[in-house]
Structures are given as C-alpha cells and as structure tokens.
Amino acid sequence: MMKKIKDSIIVIGESITEYYYFNSLKDDYRQINIKPTYPKHSTGLDYLEQEIDKAVDAGYSLIICVVDMDNKKDGKEKSEYEKFKQRLEGVHTIKKYDYKYEIRFIENERCLEIFFLFYYAYTSRCFQSQPELLAELNKHCDYDKTEKFFKKNPLHQYFEKSGGDFKNALKYAAKSMREKEETGRDYTYSQMKDLFDTLGIKE
C-alpha cells in the first residue's frame, strides 16, 4: 500500500558523494526536509530508476535526481540519458490513490565537485576529465573523493572551514547556468541553485 508523505522531498544521487554532502547540510539547515539515498550497489540510470520507483511507492511528493553529466555527454550514454529524462521528468498522477508527484533532474558537469569548487571560486574552464576538475578543487582544499574522507569530514562544513562559502557556491552555480543559456556551452555548470531554491535556501 502506498504511503503518502505530504510535501516531502527525497534527493537521489548517483553516488555516495551526494549522500554524504546532503547529510552534511542537515546540521546547518535543519529546515531541509530531505532524505538522501545511499547507493549500495550499482549506480547510473538503472539505479536511479529503481530508487525513483521506491520513492513513488513511499509517497514522496518531490523526487529530485542529482546527476553527473561527465558520462552522459555523447554517444549511447547521452542518448539513453535524454530518453530517460524525457520519460520521467515532470508531474505524474496515480489516479487510484489520488496522488501526484514530481520528478526533477539536477545536473552537474562534470560532476557534483563543480559545485564544491564554486564554494571557492568561479570558473567557466572546460575540464577534460573528472581528475582534472578534482585537481582544480584541490588547489583550494585537500578534498579526497573517498568514503573514508567523507566519513571523517562532513563536506559542507569542511568546505566552509577551509575557506569556502556556500553563498558563493549558490551565486556561481546560478552564474554558470546563465552563461550556459547565453552561450550554449555544454560544460562547467551546476543546477544546484535550483535545488536549493526548491528547498527554501537562498543566496
């Protein structure tokens, strides 16, 4: 039986990075009503669809999928993602339960670490790989993309304690999307500002 959870939000990420990041925000932003998921096995579109189905069954009213775009930029992966997004994004109705829910996609290119970099500085540079982006982030902090590091260092607090600023990250994410729309570029952008607007957190 579907359980309706009124006006509740679940954030589904493709990797453990999203899980640990959103959990780290809860201490400073207690008004955030989210439940990040923890990928235990497979990741990618199959994992996202499984978690979306679970969230629908649980009765969440808003299901937000945070996705990395570095493996969806061309070829078969790009085509599959575009079809997946087109099929699922938007408002859906289950008449049997008189239940509506919405699915949104929040994209980061190359990956969520671009938003982490925006804590410190703005860039529109095209990163050719995730390691190249991580190297740029590590000019500002000693970030390590491992679960051991995530468990020891709550990410949001770590970035701010090492000189980053969440408000800058929001501002620069918004700037990246404006430039993307103005120039048509398909790299170095983050839609995280849209996500936090939805959660009621402003610049």
Side-chain angles (χ1 to χ4, degrees), residues 116-134:
F116 298 165
L117 177 58
F118 287 161
Y119 268 75
Y120 302 96
Y122 183 73
T123 183
S124 58
R125 169 186 165 189
C126 180
F127 296 96
Q128 298 300 321
S129 66
Q130 186 175 131
E132 189 176 321
L133 170 57
L134 297 182

Side-chain angles (χ1 to χ4, degrees), residues 32 54 71 113 119 139 149 188 192 196:
I32 294 180
K54 292 178 185 177
N71 60 353
E113 278 78 8
Y119 268 75
K139 291 179 181 179
F149 179 84
T188 316
M192 293 291 283
F196 288 113

Side-chain angles (χ1 to χ4, degrees), residues 11-163:
V11 176
I12 302 171
E14 285 187 281
S15 72
I16 61 170
T17 309
E18 287 85 0
Y19 171 81
Y20 281 102
Y21 177 65
F22 285 109
N23 267 334
S24 75
L25 286 167
K26 288 184 174 181
D27 288 340
D28 288 0
Y29 298 96
R30 295 185 182 277
Q31 74 271 32
I32 294 180
N33 178 28
I34 62 173
K35 180 186 175 185
T37 60
Y38 181 92
K40 295 181 178 63
H41 301 294
S42 62
T43 58
L45 299 184
D46 289 343
Y47 166 77
L48 285 180
E49 184 146 24
Q50 292 169 12
E51 293 302 313
I52 288 170
D53 289 343
K54 292 178 185 177
V56 171
D57 289 342
Y60 284 93
S61 58
L62 178 58
I63 301 164
I64 299 176
C65 301
V66 181
V67 299
D68 296 339
M69 295 302 293
D70 57 350
N71 60 353
K72 303 174 181 66
K73 291 177 67 66
D74 49 41
K76 180 181 179 182
E77 290 79 8
K78 178 180 180 180
S79 175
E80 288 180 348
Y81 172 68
E82 288 177 348
K83 291 176 181 177
F84 180 83
K85 182 179 176 181
Q86 185 177 27
R87 176 167 59 88
L88 294 176
E89 192 169 41
V91 177
H92 305 266
T93 302
I94 301 179
K95 294 182 179 179
K96 179 179 178 180
Y97 297 102
D98 190 27
Y99 164 48
K100 288 186 178 182
Y101 64 93
E102 182 179 359
I103 299 173
R104 295 184 196 171
F105 288 81
I106 296 294
E107 300 174 355
N108 293 285
E109 201 290 329
R110 299 194 68 88
C111 51
L112 184 58
E113 278 78 8
I114 188 61
F115 185 70
F116 298 165
L117 177 58
F118 287 161
Y119 268 75
Y120 302 96
Y122 183 73
T123 183
S124 58
R125 169 186 165 189
C126 180
F127 296 96
Q128 298 300 321
S129 66
Q130 186 175 131
E132 189 176 321
L133 170 57
L134 297 182
E136 185 68 21
L137 176 58
N138 280 322
K139 291 179 181 179
H140 303 276
C141 63
D142 294 320
Y143 176 80
D144 184 17
K145 193 180 176 73
T146 64
E147 187 164 16
K148 180 179 179 181
F149 179 84
F150 297 159
K151 286 181 175 179
K152 184 178 179 181
N153 301 282
L155 289 174
H156 168 69
Q157 290 78 11
Y158 174 78
F159 297 137
E160 294 220 317
K161 287 178 181 177
S162 59

Side-chain angles (χ1 to χ4, degrees), residues 164-182:
D165 189 318
F166 179 65
K167 291 185 178 180
N168 280 344
L170 295 177
K171 178 175 66 176
Y172 294 150
K175 180 178 179 180
S176 75
M177 293 307 300
R178 288 195 301 271
E179 290 186 357
K180 180 180 185 295
E181 292 172 4
E182 291 168 0

